[in-house]
Amino acid sequence: MNTKLHAICDSHGRPLDLFVTAGQVSDYIGARALLSSLPSVDWLLGDRGYDADWFREALKDRGINACIPGRKQRNKPVKYDKRRYKRRNRIEIMFGRLKDWRRVATRYDRCPKVFLSAIALAALVIYWL
C-alpha cells in the first residue's frame, strides 16, 4: 500500500510527467522510467536518491547537467551547484500542493493505475486549468 511518486517538473514547478512505483523500490527505477521522457533542458535537479553514476552518464549523453548531491556512502564526493539546488523546493511545493487533495494524500485507491489517474487529475486542475 506504500507508493512513491516520481515527477518531472518544469522551472515553475508544474508537473510534466508522473510515474508511480512501490514504496520499497529504489528511486533508480523511477529515474530509469522517466529518463526517456525528459525534455531538452540545461539542468536537472534531483535529490540524493537519484545519485547514480549510470544516471549521471545518461544525462550527460543527452546534454543535461546534473545538479544532484552525492549519497553519504559515496567514496568520492560529487560536486554540485548548491545555489541552484536550493531551487528544488519548487518540486517539493508541487508535491505538497498535490497532497492538498485528500484523495491523493490518503490514497483511497488500491490500484496504482487509478491512484496515478487521481494524481494526474489533481495536477491538471491545480496547474493547467
Side-chain angles (χ1 to χ4, degrees):
M1 288 300 294
N2 192 9
T3 56
K4 283 185 193 174
L5 177 64
H6 304 273
I8 296 174
C9 297
D10 63 2
S11 61
H12 300 290
R14 297 178 297 202
L16 301 175
D17 199 1
L18 302 167
F19 186 71
V20 174
T21 60
Q24 68 273 15
V25 172
S26 173
D27 287 340
Y28 301 146
I29 304 297
R32 190 178 312 269
L34 292 174
L35 187 61
S36 63
S37 63
L38 281 175
S40 60
V41 294
D42 295 329
W43 288 89
L44 181 122
L45 308 178
D47 64 351
R48 292 181 195 271
Y50 296 101
D51 177 35
D53 292 330
W54 67 266
F55 189 56
R56 290 179 185 275
E57 288 297 320
L59 292 175
K60 186 187 278 186
D61 292 343
R62 296 174 133 240
I64 300 173
N65 298 316
C67 185
I68 303 171
R71 290 172 283 144
K72 305 260 187 214
Q73 297 88 4
R74 191 178 262 280
N75 294 333
K76 286 174 52 178
V78 176
K79 292 183 180 180
Y80 68 99
D81 188 357
K82 293 181 182 179
R83 200 172 86 216
R84 186 179 304 274
Y85 184 72
K86 288 182 180 180
R87 295 183 191 158
R88 203 178 68 80
N89 70 343
R90 296 175 187 167
I91 300 167
E92 299 300 328
I93 290 169
M94 183 268 309
F95 284 123
R97 288 187 68 190
L98 286 176
K99 288 182 180 178
D100 285 344
W101 284 50
R102 188 170 55 162
R103 181 179 195 108
V104 173
T106 57
R107 189 162 193 250
Y108 288 142
D109 307 306
R110 289 181 179 260
C111 177
K113 290 180 183 178
V114 176
F115 180 58
L116 183 60
S117 300
I119 293 171
L121 181 64
L124 180 75
V125 170
I126 293 170
Y127 290 101
W128 299 104
L129 290 183

